Amino acid sequence: MHLNRLTIYGFGHFHDRTFDLTAGLNYLLGANEAGKSTLTQFITAIFFGFPTKKHPALRYEPLDGSRFGGEIAFTQAGVDYLVSRTDGPHGGKVTLHDTTHDLALPAANLKRLLAPVDAQLFTSVYAINEPRLGTVFAASKQELIDRLRHVGAVGSDFWLQQAQHLEQAAETQYKPQGRNPLLNQQLRDHRELTAKLAKADAAYETYWQLLQQQQTLRNTQTATQQTLTHQRAVTEQVTQQAALWATYTEWQRLGSDEQAAVSGFTADDATRLEQLRGQVSASNQTLAQDQQHLQDLQQDAQLPPLFQAYLPVASQVDPLLMQLPEMTQTANEQQQLAASQQDLEARSAALEHQYAINGQMPRPFSLATTQQVTALQERLTAANQKRRRLQQQLNQLNERFQQQQPSRRQQRNPLADKQIIWLAIGLVVLVGSMFLPGTWFKLVGALLGVAIGYYGVFLVDSSTPASRELETLTADIRDSQAQLREGGQLVDDLNNQLDTIATAHGLGDLPVDQWSAAQGAIGEWEQLTRQLEDTGSRLAKAQQTVTTYLTQVTQALPTLTGEDLATIAPQLTQLQTLKQSLQHQEGDLATATARLKADQAAVDTARQQLNTFLSTRNLRSVAAFYQRYQAQRERTNRQQQRAALAEQLGDNLAALQQFANHAALTDQLAQAQAQQAATQQRLDQTTTQLATLAGQLAHLTASGTQATLRQKLANLETQMIATTQDWLVKRLTSQWIAATLAAASGDRLPQIVAQASNYYGKLTENRYTEIELTATTLRVRRAAGDWRDVSQLSRGTAEQLDLAVKLAFAVVLNQQVTMPLVIDDGFVNFDAQRRQAAYALLAEISQTLQVIFLTADPAVEQLAAGNLIRLHE
């Protein structure tokens, strides 16, 4: 099996994430809290089910509330499957689909596809992390063998459980050195019964006589006990009645002063009385409040000095009062504009300090100038770069020219001397041909002489390879120098154009690379200047409006001269409020007077209703009502107490009524107690006699009677035979199951140990060469030959041993179990060399098994093999 894709709906902090895996080695790289342990638990949960809500830390329910669950696409035996699991009962709702044949499969088939691996085997072998490394050392050899049997034979987990249960059941029946098992107890009881039977045979006759006497006394004891039980019941009943006599007397007393109940004094009547009293009190309180209000209105008729000054100029002040809210708002706006003006001035001054030249800010570029400057800068940059390249090229050519300069001897060309010789030979041949006989020979000789001279002068090359290379270098140097001069002229021209633009816009000595920032600052400065002009204009207008308003107010009301608007505004507001109040004062006085009359009428009505309530009950005061009401409550309480006492007495009430007084009840109790004491004495005597006979019988038959002992012995022997047969069946069945499973998987243990030894040597750089599995633990052999137990290893070395055993387990059983290895940061305690060895071993194992390695080690990015997935992407 290998996993192809993990799709997470919602699991931990993952939601709507997909991870594509390969059949070989997969690296999932992520820092702490990137989700490595979450992915390990996700694979386990989708295959084997979500933990219950009793273990919330292992469920990894989504933090963002998305749908809980996900799906895994995997391949097994050449068939592609897709399993999904979402939140639900019994480990979640599972769906299984055969994507190769497009078939929906029952969810129960998932367990068959994963068999024989269950959740426990997967987490202990195939899901490896640092905390789980080392758990194999706590296991015994038998537990490791059982784990092999679990994988080696399909369905062996059921037979292993059955064998274990049979073995435990057999041990509860018999152990060679045990005391508590059933068969051990039966053997011990058999020896004791045999000894008792031999002792009982000697006193058989005496035993039967004493046994007949004992039976007679037992019959007498039974009859006496029945009589005593009846007398105890009678005594207990009379005692209970005597104890209830005080309650009965109280019940009689409560019934002696019964009087008829009087109507009109119930709890509802008391509530009605309190309502009437509350109405009277509320009416009086309202009357007092309205009287005080009327007095306040009369006192408010006195006018303050400012209002008296207002009355003669009311026609002038009233329009100003209407303008007061607007002036208040204008004054607030004035303060805001002043603060804004200070801020704008500060920002403008900062820009002027940074860019102004002789107190004058540079002028901004137009769009055409901006494009021109950009083009000039680009051309200037390109020209400078070209000049630097040409200068480097010229320097290289000069160095080569200096290296190629020949010495004086080398400058002389031997072929140049030969040109003269060839020319001389040609002249000699030409002159000599003139002396030959015949015109034809003369002509041929003359042509030959000319040809020799031509060859010497024109065909013989006087230059050497070194001289030709020097000529080439000289030409290249001259060409480079010419290009440098042209580039310098271009740079000067471009700089002149930029200087012209700087002069035209007042940029002064500001570097060209700062022109862009300066243009932004110039634009901001111009905007600030416009804002300052607008703010100053608005501020002046607001100041003029407020000043004009204050002048008008002080002209109308001279008492306010010298005060600002913040001081005048509250006084004008109070003046306006007083004016409105005086307009309604006359109506308020009339209303208050009418309300006083209504309040007085309400008080009279409430008092009349209260008097009517008392007169209908022939009462003069409220206190008299509550006196009668309290007496009525006490009468009702006595009736309730008498009913409660009657319920407490129950059936004893009728019996107590039969006694004339307490003395008669006491006499009957004394008689019942005397009869009970006499019967108890007879019973004690009979019990004493039975105890004596029992002692004699116990002495004679300490081991029991013969028949009883023989029967017990026979029954015990039958039980022993049945127990022995049951023990043999369970013991032999358990041994047969163990032998059968051992035959199915016993040959794999040596393979796993040998493979683990090979892996352990690779992980430890051959420092440890062999692993031996003993009866109780593991031990390892060093390269020097000595053996060491696991307890003597360092933590990292011990974890490497556990890793080697688990990897060997998975590789050896790969034919029966095709599960991927999921390793969650299992190498944190390995040093650098052994961690690299572990990476190499995983790459080797991934040729046959899928390996999913989740780690925070960035070194895996440098590994050649494997599919790398970054969790943070």
Side-chain angles (χ1 to χ4, degrees):
M1 172 195 290
H2 64 269
L3 311 185
N4 301 320
R5 185 179 65 258
L6 308 178
T7 302
I8 302 177
Y9 307 150
F11 198 83
H13 71 273
F14 287 118
H15 64 90
D16 298 332
R17 286 291 303 272
T18 299
F19 299 94
D20 294 322
L21 305 175
T22 61
L25 182 58
N26 299 269
Y27 294 109
L28 279 76
L29 178 62
N32 293 335
E33 300 185 356
K36 300 185 292 298
S37 300
T38 303
L39 287 176
T40 303
Q41 184 63 23
F42 173 77
I43 297 173
T44 307
I46 296 301
F47 277 145
F48 302 104
F50 300 127
T52 63
K53 293 189 177 180
K54 295 181 180 179
H55 305 87
L58 300 178
R59 285 176 60 82
Y60 287 83
E61 294 193 26
L63 303 179
D64 59 352
S66 57
R67 185 161 61 119
F68 182 28
E71 61 185 38
I72 296 179
F74 65 95
T75 301
Q76 182 171 354
V79 180
D80 295 333
Y81 297 94
L82 180 66
V83 56
S84 66
R85 188 183 297 267
T86 55
D87 192 16
H90 308 296
K93 181 180 178 182
V94 181
T95 59
L96 182 63
H97 192 80
D98 181 351
T99 56
T100 299
H101 305 95
D102 194 16
L103 295 175
L105 303 177
N109 284 17
L110 178 61
K111 187 174 182 181
R112 179 183 58 80
L113 291 174
L114 298 176
V117 177
D118 54 13
Q120 180 180 2
L121 182 62
F122 182 78
T123 55
S124 62
V125 175
Y126 294 94
I128 302 173
N129 58 19
E130 192 273 334
R132 290 176 185 157
L133 287 178
T135 55
V136 72
F137 312 124
S140 63
K141 178 181 180 180
Q142 187 60 42
E143 290 174 343
L144 185 59
I145 292 174
D146 289 344
R147 188 182 295 171
L148 292 175
R149 293 174 180 172
H150 176 81
V151 178
V154 177
S156 60
D157 52 350
F158 169 77
W159 291 109
L160 284 172
Q161 293 177 1
Q162 294 298 318
Q164 185 178 8
H165 292 162
L166 290 172
E167 186 67 24
Q168 292 176 353
E171 290 182 352
T172 60
Q173 291 178 325
Y174 175 70
K175 282 185 179 181
Q177 304 298 329
R179 293 180 56 86
N180 296 325
L182 179 60
L183 186 55
N184 295 73
Q185 296 178 6
Q186 290 174 345
L187 289 171
R188 186 169 60 251
D189 294 342
H190 187 274
R191 289 192 297 269
E192 294 176 355
L193 284 175
T194 303
K196 290 180 180 180
L197 181 60
K199 188 175 181 180
D201 290 339
Y204 186 71
E205 292 295 335
T206 306
Y207 167 78
W208 279 107
Q209 293 176 2
L210 295 175
L211 192 61
Q212 291 176 356
Q213 295 178 13
Q214 186 184 45
Q215 185 62 37
T216 302
L217 290 174
R218 283 179 176 173
N219 293 335
T220 303
Q221 185 186 40
T222 301
T224 306
Q225 285 178 341
Q226 293 175 355
T227 302
L228 180 61
T229 302
H230 175 69
Q231 290 178 351
R232 283 177 176 172
V234 172
T235 303
E236 183 178 357
Q237 183 178 5
V238 177
T239 302
Q240 184 178 9
Q241 293 171 358
L244 294 174
W245 182 261
T247 304
Y248 173 70
T249 303
E250 180 66 16
W251 177 80
Q252 288 180 325
R253 185 189 66 80
L254 291 174
S256 63
D257 57 348
E258 284 292 330
Q259 298 179 3
V262 181
S263 62
F265 296 94
T266 62
D268 293 337
D269 296 325
T271 302
R272 176 58 181 165
L273 176 59
E274 289 301 320
Q275 290 176 351
L276 293 175
R277 294 178 66 190
Q279 292 176 3
V280 173
S281 177
S283 300
N284 287 327
Q285 185 177 1
T286 303
L287 178 61
Q289 292 176 351
D290 290 340
Q291 290 175 346
Q292 182 64 37
H293 179 61
L294 181 59
Q295 294 175 2
D296 294 339
L297 289 176
Q298 294 173 350
Q299 292 177 358
D300 290 341
Q302 299 178 0
L303 302 177
L306 181 61
F307 191 79
Q308 294 175 359
Y310 155 76
L311 291 176
V313 291
S315 59
Q316 300 178 17
V317 175
D318 287 343
L320 297 176
L321 293 177
M322 297 297 293
Q323 298 176 13
L324 180 60
E326 181 181 355
M327 290 301 107
T328 303
Q329 183 177 359
T330 303
N332 294 334
E333 183 180 359
Q334 177 184 350
Q335 294 178 356
Q336 295 176 359
L337 289 173
S340 178
Q341 184 181 40
Q342 292 179 357
D343 179 60
L344 293 173
E345 289 175 349
R347 291 165 59 188
S348 177
L351 293 175
E352 292 174 356
H353 176 73
Q354 184 175 2
Y355 293 103
I357 301 174
N358 296 325
Q360 184 68 29
M361 283 292 290
R363 289 177 294 281
F365 290 164
S366 64
L367 178 60
T369 304
T370 301
Q371 295 175 350
Q372 180 183 2
V373 170
T374 302
L376 290 175
Q377 287 178 331
E378 292 176 354
R379 292 178 60 190
L380 181 61
T381 301
N384 286 327
Q385 292 177 352
K386 182 176 180 181
R387 288 186 65 190
R388 285 193 292 271
R389 289 196 302 270
L390 290 173
Q391 187 63 49
Q392 292 175 358
Q393 182 178 355
L394 179 61
N395 293 338
Q396 294 174 358
L397 292 174
N398 286 328
E399 291 178 0
R400 290 175 56 190
F401 182 81
Q402 294 296 332
Q403 293 174 0
Q404 295 295 330
Q405 282 294 333
S407 62
R408 183 177 300 274
R409 185 179 185 88
Q410 291 175 337
Q411 291 178 356
R412 185 182 181 88
N413 188 357
L415 293 177
D417 298 336
K418 292 180 180 179
Q419 287 179 336
I420 299 174
I421 297 174
W422 283 104
L423 183 60
I425 294 174
L427 290 175
V428 171
V429 172
L430 178 62
V431 173
S433 63
M434 295 294 106
F435 298 100
L436 292 176
T439 304
W440 177 252
F441 289 105
K442 291 180 181 181
L443 179 60
V444 172
L447 292 175
L448 181 61
V450 171
I452 293 173
Y454 181 82
Y455 173 79
V457 173
F458 296 101
L459 297 183
V460 176
D461 189 1
S462 62
S463 65
T464 63
S467 63
R468 287 194 297 272
E469 184 174 359
L470 283 176
E471 292 176 357
T472 302
L473 288 175
T474 302
D476 291 342
I477 290 171
R478 291 173 180 173
D479 181 60
S480 297
Q481 289 174 343
Q483 293 183 22
L484 275 175
R485 286 192 296 273
E486 293 177 359
Q489 293 175 357
L490 178 60
V491 170
D492 292 341
D493 181 58
L494 293 174
N495 284 327
N496 291 334
Q497 295 182 43
L498 289 173
D499 291 341
T500 303
I501 293 174
T503 303
H505 292 83
L507 292 174
D509 297 332
L510 188 68
V512 177
D513 56 357
Q514 296 182 16
W515 285 9
S516 177
Q519 289 303 308
I522 293 169
E524 182 182 358
W525 178 82
E526 290 183 342
Q527 183 179 3
L528 290 175
T529 302
R530 290 191 296 272
Q531 291 179 355
L532 271 172
E533 293 176 356
D534 180 64
T535 301
S537 177
R538 292 170 59 192
L539 179 60
K541 182 178 180 181
Q543 289 174 344
Q544 181 62 35
T545 302
V546 172
T547 302
T548 303
Y549 181 78
L550 290 176
T551 302
Q552 294 174 356
V553 170
T554 54
Q555 287 176 356
L557 299 173
T559 57
L560 299 178
T561 303
E563 298 181 1
D564 57 4
L565 184 61
T567 306
I568 291 176
Q571 300 182 53
L572 294 179
T573 302
Q574 184 178 6
L575 182 63
Q576 192 174 19
T577 303
L578 181 58
K579 174 186 173 184
Q580 296 174 355
S581 176
L582 289 176
Q583 292 176 356
H584 300 286
Q585 184 175 15
E586 184 177 354
D588 291 342
L589 288 172
T591 302
T593 303
R595 288 178 59 186
L596 280 177
K597 294 179 180 180
D599 293 342
Q600 186 63 47
V603 170
D604 295 339
T605 301
R607 289 177 178 174
Q608 181 62 34
Q609 290 177 353
L610 179 60
N611 293 332
T612 302
F613 178 86
L614 295 175
S615 63
T616 55
R617 291 164 176 79
N618 297 322
L619 300 174
R620 293 178 179 269
S621 64
V622 175
F625 171 83
Y626 278 109
Q627 184 177 2
R628 296 284 298 277
Y629 172 69
Q630 187 64 30
Q632 185 74 12
R633 288 187 60 188
E634 291 177 356
R635 186 179 300 106
T636 302
N637 290 338
R638 284 196 299 271
Q639 291 175 354
Q640 292 176 352
Q641 291 176 6
R642 194 167 189 268
L645 292 175
E647 184 178 358
Q648 182 178 354
L649 292 171
D651 296 338
N652 292 316
L653 179 59
L656 289 171
Q657 289 176 344
Q658 302 300 321
F659 296 100
N661 49 42
H662 186 259
L665 178 59
T666 304
D667 291 341
Q668 185 172 352
L669 177 59
Q671 293 177 5
Q673 290 176 345
Q675 292 176 0
Q676 179 182 342
T679 304
Q680 182 67 51
Q681 185 177 5
R682 291 197 305 273
L683 180 61
D684 292 341
Q685 292 175 354
T686 304
T687 303
T688 301
Q689 294 175 0
L690 280 172
T692 302
L693 288 175
Q696 294 175 356
L697 287 171
H699 179 71
L700 293 175
T701 60
S703 303
T705 62
Q706 284 181 321
T708 301
L709 291 174
R710 285 194 177 94
Q711 184 62 43
K712 288 183 178 180
L713 187 60
N715 293 340
L716 180 60
E717 290 174 350
T718 302
Q719 295 173 2
M720 290 174 63
I721 293 173
T723 302
T724 303
Q725 292 175 348
D726 190 25
W727 176 79
L728 286 173
V729 169
K730 293 177 179 177
R731 185 73 174 177
L732 292 176
T733 304
S734 174
Q735 293 177 352
W736 177 81
I737 292 174
T740 303
L741 294 179
S745 58
D747 59 335
R748 295 186 180 89
L749 183 59
Q751 298 179 29
I752 291 176
V753 174
Q755 188 69 287
S757 299
N758 179 26
Y759 290 163
Y760 194 46
K762 294 180 179 180
L763 289 172
T764 61
E765 299 173 323
N766 292 322
R767 187 171 183 179
Y768 297 91
T769 59
E770 184 179 353
I771 300 175
E772 181 183 70
L773 181 63
T774 66
T776 57
T777 184
L778 289 171
R779 66 173 188 166
V780 294
R781 184 196 295 272
R782 289 167 53 89
D786 56 319
W787 290 90
R788 287 192 176 181
D789 292 333
V790 176
S791 60
Q792 297 174 310
L793 302 177
S794 67
R795 180 178 180 84
T797 308
E799 290 181 358
Q800 292 151 19
L801 176 58
D802 192 6
L803 177 64
V805 173
K806 290 182 176 180
L807 294 179
F809 190 100
V811 171
V812 171
L813 297 178
N814 186 35
Q815 295 180 353
Q816 285 74 28
V817 182
T818 57
M819 292 295 292
L821 284 170
V822 183
I823 305 175
D824 178 11
D825 255 348
F827 306 157
V828 294
N829 291 322
F830 293 12
D831 58 30
Q833 291 78 10
R834 297 192 180 185
R835 189 179 297 114
Q836 292 300 321
Y839 291 156
L841 181 57
L842 291 182
E844 176 185 341
I845 293 175
S846 66
Q847 302 300 319
T848 57
L849 286 176
Q850 184 184 35
V851 178
I852 302 172
F853 185 67
L854 302 103
T855 181
D857 185 6
V860 299
E861 294 181 313
Q862 309 301 325
L863 300 179
N867 173 33
L868 179 63
I869 300 174
R870 292 179 174 85
L871 296 180
H872 62 274
E873 295 179 351

